[in-house]
């Protein structure tokens, strides 16, 4: 598994009274997150027209950055393709494209292209970093103004962040609480304070903080769409899920070694497995009678483990909930909910699946729904990867 | 008056027991008489082994009362057995 995790998220508030945004954010991942491209585009005006411009721009920028084509050329294509606004007689959308690639070391290689959006900000920890951009003049025929792209290439190491936002953020408060708006300096020092206060803040939360601050400066009636996107490079948060007793009893202690040496949160699913772990680690296993629902047996507690649950029923319910993307807060307070909460807080999930056949489940009176362990884990992995963009891995014992 | 020791009750919450009626037994707070509740120390345990024991004559769900395992447990049966147990 990778030692670097790229956490990308964004937050957005539409211009007051609009139901659709003129700022468009796109994100896609390739090759198990080895390459991530995110684009933020701001279309001329607001509402539907702006949204069309911005969506087109973002989508094209996106596609083109996965192609080997030279940047200047792709930027020209984008601008030539945009429809012309009937009133203003110009076609215009700003954009920022960040192409993030995981290199072999603990670093992420960034290719950043900026066109008329406010400059992106970079932080190493909470310290703002300045960097140079190459200016590329497009000199496009029929351009209504000089078009200059900013291009830069740099590395983000663990603990660094990149903030990209629309002018709705930098101009927040203009003419209201601040004569010249919030401006780049304002955003920079605000973000710095937030990171100092909470050094491990997720991209999702940081983007939210910036956006809601801008919204407040606008006295809660945004003059323009307010969008902020954050890239955060950090160590991955890991979770281990152990289910099923090992095929051979001699491997029981090996399993426990694996659990103990794991760095991250640990979940054991399965009564028999939990009993084995409890016996070898010499720690008490206690059933928590307050945490269950009619479909899900109670969870248990054991020191050193984040969660201990029953096996098949719980896992199949977890898989179904993940497949249906059910938010944790809509679930009853049982093992499934706790399980899902832990999954959502993790970036990488490692499964260790014991292959011993559980005699009890050979009982024909047990509902067929309780499939075989392997199938279940396969469903879990797929749901986590496809619906929640988590990385997963699997080993049998 | 000498204080009586509580009766130890273990309800199996393993998969086999849970799906075959064990879930109903976990509502013990609702269906047991308060006097009975006060006289018992009720806990959940993961699989007490009955489901894997071929020699077992009775089917799940299993409950262990004062060291003795009972099968095919229902709410009514548990009420009755615990009444007897605390008066024994
Ligand atoms: S699950 Fe209850 S005895 Fe095995």
């Amino acid at each position: 598994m990778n030692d670097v995790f790229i956490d990308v998220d964004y937050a957005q508030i539409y211009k007051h009274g609009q139901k659709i945004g003129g700022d468009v954010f796109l994100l896609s991942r390739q090759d198990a997150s080895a390459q991530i491209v995110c684009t933020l585009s701001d279309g001329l005006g607001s509402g539907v027209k702006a949204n069309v411009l911005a969506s087109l721009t973002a989508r094209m920028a996106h596609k083109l950055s996965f192609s080997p084509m030279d940047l200047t050329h792709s930027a020209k294509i984008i601008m030539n393709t945009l429809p012309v606004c009937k009133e203003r007689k110009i076609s215009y959308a700003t954009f920022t494209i960040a192409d993030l690639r995981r290199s072999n070391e603990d670093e992420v290689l960034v290719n950043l292209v900026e066109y008329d959006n406010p400059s992106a900000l970079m932080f190493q920890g909470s310290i703002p970093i300045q960097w140079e951009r190459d200016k590329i003049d497009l000199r496009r025929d029929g351009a209504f103004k000089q078009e200059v792209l900013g291009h830069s290439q740099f590395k983000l190491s663990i603990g660094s962040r990149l903030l990209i936002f629309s002018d709705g953020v930098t101009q927040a408060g203009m003419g209201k609480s601040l004569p010249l708006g919030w401006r780049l300096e304002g955003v920079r020092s605000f973000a710095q304070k937030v990171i100092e206060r909470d050094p491990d803040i997720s991209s999702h939360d940081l983007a939210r903080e910036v956006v809601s601050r801008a919204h407040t400066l606008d006295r809660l009636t945004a003059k323009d769409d307010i969008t902020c996107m954050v890239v955060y490079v950090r160590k991955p948060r890991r979770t281990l899920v152990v289910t099923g007793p090992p095929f051979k009893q001699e491997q029981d202690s090996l399993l426990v070694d694996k659990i103990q040496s794991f760095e991250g949160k640990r979940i054991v699913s399965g009564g028999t497995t939990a009993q084995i772990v409890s016996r070898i680690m010499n720690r008490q296993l206690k059933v928590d009678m307050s945490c269950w629902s009619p479909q899900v047996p109670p969870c248990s507690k054991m020191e050193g483990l984040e969660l201990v649950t029953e096996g098949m029923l719980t896992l199949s319910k977890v898989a179904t909930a993940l497949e249906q993307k059910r938010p944790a807060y809509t679930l009853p307070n049982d093992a499934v909910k706790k399980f899902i909460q832990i999954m959502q807080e993790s970036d990488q999930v490692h499964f260790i699946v014991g292959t011993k056949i559980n005699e009890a489940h050979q009982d024909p009176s047990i509902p067929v729904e309780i499939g075989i362990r392997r199938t279940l884990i396969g469903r879990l992995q797929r749901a986590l990867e496809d619906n929640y963009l988590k990385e997963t891995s699997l080993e049998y014992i | 008056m000498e204080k009586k020791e509580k009766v130890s009750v273990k309800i199996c919450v393993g998969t086999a027991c849970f799906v075959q009626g064990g879930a109903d037994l976990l509502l013990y707070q609702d269906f047991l008489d308060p006097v009975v509740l006060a006289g018992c120390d009720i806990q959940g345990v993961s699989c007490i082994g009955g489901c894997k024991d071929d020699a077992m004559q009775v089917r799940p769900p299993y409950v262990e009362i004062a060291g003795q395992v009972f099968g095919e447990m229902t709410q009514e049966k548990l009420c009755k057995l615990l009444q007897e147990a605390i008066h024994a």
Side-chain angles (χ1 to χ4, degrees), chain A residues 125-141:
Chain A
S126 61
I127 301 159
I129 309 272
Q130 311 266 14
W131 75 101
E132 289 298 317
R133 279 115 164 141
D134 293 335
K135 299 267 175 256
I136 307 170
D137 194 341
L138 288 185
R139 299 176 191 283
R140 194 166 56 96
D141 295 339

Side-chain angles (χ1 to χ4, degrees), chain A residues 35-162:
Chain A
Q35 186 189 7
I36 296 180
V37 174
C38 29
T39 314
L40 177 67
S41 174
D42 180 357
L44 177 74
S46 61
V48 175
K49 188 163 56 184
N51 184 276
V52 170
L53 279 172
S55 303
L56 270 172
T57 311
R59 181 63 63 191
M60 281 189 280
H62 218 69
K63 278 273 171 281
L64 292 171
S65 52
F66 279 112
S67 81
M69 199 194 295
D70 145 60
L71 271 170
T72 333
H73 194 62
S74 10
K76 277 187 187 161
I77 296 180
I78 294 175
M79 290 173 185
N80 284 334
T81 322
L82 289 182
V84 178
C85 165
K86 225 163 70 194
E87 288 152 45
R88 301 180 181 87
K89 303 271 183 288
I90 50 175
S91 63
Y92 183 60
T94 69
F95 56 84
T96 304
I97 311 167
D99 177 331
L100 314 159
R101 280 167 219 241
R102 212 161 36 201
S103 61
N104 290 338
E105 309 90 62
D106 293 357
E107 281 174 334
V108 174
L109 194 64
V110 185
N111 240 310
L112 188 72
V113 181
E114 301 172 279
Y115 175 63
D116 272 8
N117 266 343
S119 296
L121 296 176
M122 197 198 315
F123 292 90
Q124 169 67 53
S126 61
I127 301 159
I129 309 272
Q130 311 266 14
W131 75 101
E132 289 298 317
R133 279 115 164 141
D134 293 335
K135 299 267 175 256
I136 307 170
D137 194 341
L138 288 185
R139 299 176 191 283
R140 194 166 56 96
D141 295 339
F144 67 95
K145 65 179 206 80
Q146 195 191 18
E147 296 166 334
V148 182
L149 287 182
H151 175 231
S152 49
Q153 242 184 5
F154 50 90
K155 283 179 178 159
L156 289 178
S157 52
I158 296 233
S160 6
R161 289 182 173 85
L162 195 63

Side-chain angles (χ1 to χ4, degrees), chain A residues 271-272 275 285-287 289 292-298 310-313 358-361 363 365-367 370, chain B residues 11 13-16 18-20 22-28 42-49 51-52 59-60:
Chain A
T272 320
Q275 283 172 354
L285 186 65
K286 203 166 164 7
V287 176
M289 296 292 251
W292 63 281
S293 70
Q295 275 89 42
V296 185
E310 176 274 344
M312 293 304 174
L313 294 172
N358 197 343
E359 307 89 79
H361 297 143
D363 188 330
S365 57
I366 293 182
I370 310 166
Chain B
I11 303 176
V13 298
T15 314
F18 190 86
V19 291
Q20 296 177 82
D24 299 336
L25 303 177
L26 294 180
L27 296 168
Y28 64 87
I42 304 182
Q43 284 182 7
V45 284
S46 50
C47 189
I48 45 183
C51 62
K52 293 170 191 161
R59 306 190 41 76

Side-chain angles (χ1 to χ4, degrees), chain A residues 184-233:
Chain A
L184 203 57
E185 289 68 45
V187 185
R188 184 184 286 129
S189 61
F190 174 78
Q192 184 172 8
K193 276 193 209 107
V194 174
I195 301 171
E196 271 166 9
R197 193 193 67 213
D198 182 358
D200 220 19
I201 189 167
S202 69
S203 293
H204 177 253
D205 292 349
L206 181 55
R208 273 258 291 275
E209 295 244 8
V210 170
V211 163
S212 44
R213 177 76 189 140
H215 199 208
T216 321
L217 289 173
D218 261 346
R219 306 234 168 96
L220 305 184
T221 42
K223 284 197 302 341
D224 193 359
D225 298 323
I226 299 175
T227 311
C228 176
M229 157 187 139
V230 180
V231 177
Y232 178 26
V233 177

Side-chain angles (χ1 to χ4, degrees), chain B residues 57-75:
Chain B
Q57 296 299 315
V58 280
R59 306 190 41 76
Y62 299 107
V63 173
E64 190 185 302
I65 302 169
Q68 197 187 344
V69 176
F70 297 87
E72 287 164 39
M73 192 56 70
T74 58
Q75 295 189 347

